[in-house]
């Protein structure tokens, strides 16, 4: 890694030929094939062009916000006091259930727009704040609608197994079997689900409950991913890998056996430094273990109203380096190539013939500049499907 520049795979003085929304050719400008030579040209001068950024883990669709709870906590309220005042994830569930699809879209769009303004061309959007059939379907329909209203590619994840809703307190198994799995089937029948997610944690669901959801996903031919090993090690990453999961996310507490299972299955580690920061966690994900084992690392905002109210993927990249010790080249791969992997997308995340022409053009001279600044957005242009 001594040669930081080489690890980005930079092409100097590059030309990229685009038609029909796809990349046809990339290479040094002087080598541009003659049959492309008379195509219309957009000259981006000496700027850096990267693949459009991909945010592979967000909960950007939700009702309400939790600013008051944030304030209560900093004024000394305990989690119990906040919960008794109706705070926590349940306050988001209540607000989301009360919101119409239009409300959900209108509230999500400013968050989406903040991401797009930083060169994001693809985002993942999860359900998981409805925890009943109507609201889960409404969240996923809102996600599909957002893809029509903005120039962005949206990948949806069904996250019915996010939390136990209040009407099922103490009956998590009943919730999984009578609400979560039937809702997954209904959402899939409506074409609303690209992947199936879950939250495997002491405060959510255990591995046997998640396995039932994943069995249902497998029956439907849907890929899976999992919030795993965020606060403790329950073996979620190993479970996810045993289903060939696209990704295991958070993974601060994953152990060597979990990492080995992820390597074997080709499961990407999606790292979420925004939640680590907000919750003031101290357990850093095992970056070196992932490196040595060849586990691809992605980065995401985890945009959500509670543990990561973050709408800057550039800041997530900075945090990945500053808090977790990733290199800038790893951070950039984490929001391009490896983020595409985490979503199961073969035609995004790199600049190569046949890839979608989703690109970001930056006013920087070195890629590390994207990562090292805090709160600065050097985007010059964003190209989606070949359109500037
Ligand atoms: Zn999450």
């Amino acid at each position: 890694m001594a040669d930081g520049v080489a690890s980005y795979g930079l092409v100097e003085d590059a030309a990229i030929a685009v038609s029909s929304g796809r990349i046809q050719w990339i290479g040094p400008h002087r080598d541009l094939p003659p049959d492309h030579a008379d195509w219309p040209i957009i000259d981006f001068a000496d700027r850096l062009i990267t693949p459009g950024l991909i945010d592979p883990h967000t909960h950007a669709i939700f009702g309400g916000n939790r600013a008051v709870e944030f304030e209560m906590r900093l004024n000394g309220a305990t989690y119990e006091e906040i919960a008794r005042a109706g705070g926590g994830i349940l306050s988001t569930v209540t607000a989301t259930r009360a919101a119409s699809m239009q409300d959900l879209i209108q509230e999500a769009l400013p968050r989406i727009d903040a991401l797009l303004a930083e060169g994001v061309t693809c985002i993942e959007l999860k359900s998981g704040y409805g925890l009943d059939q109507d609201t889960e379907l409404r969240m996923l329909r809102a996600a599909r609608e957002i893809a029509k209203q903005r120039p962005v590619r949206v990948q949806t994840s069904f996250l019915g197994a996010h939390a136990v809703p209040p009407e099922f307190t103490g009956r998590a198994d009943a919730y999984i079997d009578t609400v979560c799995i039937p809702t997954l089937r209904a959402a899939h029948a409506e074409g609303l689900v690209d992947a199936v997610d879950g939250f495997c944690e002491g405060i959510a669901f255990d591995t046997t409950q998640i396995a039932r959801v994943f069995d249902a996903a497998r029956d439907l031919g849907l890929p899976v991913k999992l919030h795993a090993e965020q606060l403790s090690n329950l073996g979620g990453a190993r479970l996810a890998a045993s289903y060939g999961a696209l990704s295991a996310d958070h993974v601060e507490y994953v152990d060597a056996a979990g990492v080995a299972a992820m390597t074997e299955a080709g499961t990407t580690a999606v790292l979420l430094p925004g939640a680590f920061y907000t919750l003031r966690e101290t357990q850093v994900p095992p970056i070196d273990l992932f490196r040595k084992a060849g586990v691809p690392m992605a980065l995401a905002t985890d945009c959500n109203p509670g543990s990561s109210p973050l709408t800057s993927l550039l800041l997530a990249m900075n945090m990945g380096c500053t808090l977790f010790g990733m290199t800038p080249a790893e951070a950039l791969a984490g929001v391009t190539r490896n983020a595409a992997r985490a979503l199961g997308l073969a035609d995004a995340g790199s600049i190569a013939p046949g890839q979608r022409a989703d690109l970001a053009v930056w006013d920087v001279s070195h890629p590390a500049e994207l990562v090292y600044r805090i709160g600065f957005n050097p985007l010059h242009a964003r190209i989606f499907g070949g359109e500037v």
Side-chain angles (χ1 to χ4, degrees):
M1 293 301 292
D3 185 2
V5 175
S7 61
Y8 293 106
L10 288 183
V11 178
E12 298 288 343
D13 195 21
I16 301 172
V18 170
S19 78
S20 309
R22 297 269 161 184
I23 293 165
Q24 308 297 330
W25 186 89
I26 171 164
H29 187 253
R30 62 176 182 278
D31 297 339
L32 188 68
D35 53 324
H36 296 334
D38 60 349
W39 288 15
I41 288 175
I42 305 174
D43 186 356
F44 289 114
D46 289 331
R47 294 185 175 90
L48 174 74
I49 302 180
T50 66
L53 305 190
I54 299 171
D55 190 346
H57 181 136
T58 87
H59 309 250
I61 296 176
F62 57 84
N65 72 67
R66 309 243 287 270
V68 169
E69 185 181 316
F70 174 79
E71 186 172 44
M72 280 177 76
R73 202 158 59 233
L74 287 165
N75 278 300
T78 64
Y79 278 94
E80 205 191 332
E81 286 165 341
I82 290 167
R84 260 191 276 116
I89 191 170
L90 291 181
S91 73
T92 299
V93 171
T94 303
T96 304
R97 285 178 175 179
S100 68
M101 186 170 94
Q102 278 317 313
D103 294 340
L104 291 176
I105 293 168
Q106 289 314 312
E107 288 178 45
L109 282 177
R111 299 188 274 269
I112 307 287
D113 288 341
L115 292 168
L116 302 199
E118 289 188 343
V120 169
T121 53
C122 177
I123 53 169
E124 187 248 21
L125 289 169
K126 301 179 194 293
S127 71
Y129 291 121
L131 311 178
D132 63 31
Q133 180 152 325
D134 285 355
T135 316
E136 289 291 306
L137 294 178
R138 197 156 69 245
M139 289 183 75
L140 293 168
R141 289 180 196 131
R144 289 284 191 243
E145 187 58 31
I146 284 167
K148 294 180 196 153
Q149 296 193 14
R150 288 294 186 272
V152 65
R153 187 176 189 181
V154 169
Q155 292 292 114
T156 58
S157 296
F158 173 77
L159 181 56
H162 191 196
V164 181
E167 62 274 19
F168 280 88
T169 300
R171 296 186 298 132
D173 282 304
Y175 169 71
I176 291 289
D177 297 331
T178 66
V179 178
C180 181
I181 290 172
T183 301
L184 166 58
R185 295 210 175 97
H188 173 68
E190 224 182 290
L192 296 173
V193 186
D194 299 323
V196 175
D197 197 353
F199 187 19
C200 185
E201 196 61 67
I203 56 170
F205 299 98
D206 64 27
T207 48
T208 49
Q209 290 157 345
I210 295 294
R212 290 214 296 287
V213 178
F214 282 3
D215 285 338
R218 185 182 269 169
D219 286 347
L220 299 170
L222 292 169
V224 301
K225 49 180 54 239
L226 188 63
H227 291 66
E229 270 79 274
Q230 179 188 5
L231 307 168
S232 61
N233 182 3
L234 295 188
R238 245 176 309 146
L239 173 80
S242 77
Y243 283 83
L246 292 173
S247 67
D249 301 33
H250 289 287
V251 291
E252 276 88 342
Y253 284 85
V254 70
D255 58 13
V259 173
M262 289 173 70
T263 309
E264 177 107 347
T267 298
T268 296
V270 177
L271 307 178
L272 306 170
F276 176 93
Y277 165 85
T278 302
L279 299 174
R280 300 195 204 182
E281 292 288 333
T282 52
Q283 174 86 15
V284 172
I287 302 293
D288 223 37
L289 214 52
F290 291 138
R291 275 186 195 129
K292 289 191 179 114
V295 172
M297 292 182 279
L299 279 165
T301 61
D302 192 19
C303 174
N304 77 68
S307 62
S308 189
L310 173 62
T311 50
S312 170
L313 197 53
L314 292 175
L315 183 52
M317 291 162 74
N318 175 272
M319 288 175 166
C321 293
T322 305
L323 300 176
F324 292 169
M326 297 172 81
T327 67
E330 285 171 337
L332 187 56
V335 296
T336 54
R337 191 170 66 240
N338 292 341
R341 260 188 85 113
L343 296 178
L345 300 176
D347 63 349
S350 63
I351 305 178
Q355 295 287 94
R356 279 180 56 100
D358 295 344
L359 302 164
V361 185
W362 306 95
D363 270 319
V364 303
S365 53
H366 189 286
E369 286 180 57
L370 296 180
V371 185
Y372 117 101
R373 288 199 180 101
I374 301 170
F376 183 78
N377 179 6
L379 188 77
H380 172 74
R382 181 180 167 284
I383 297 165
F384 182 70
E387 303 289 322
V388 181

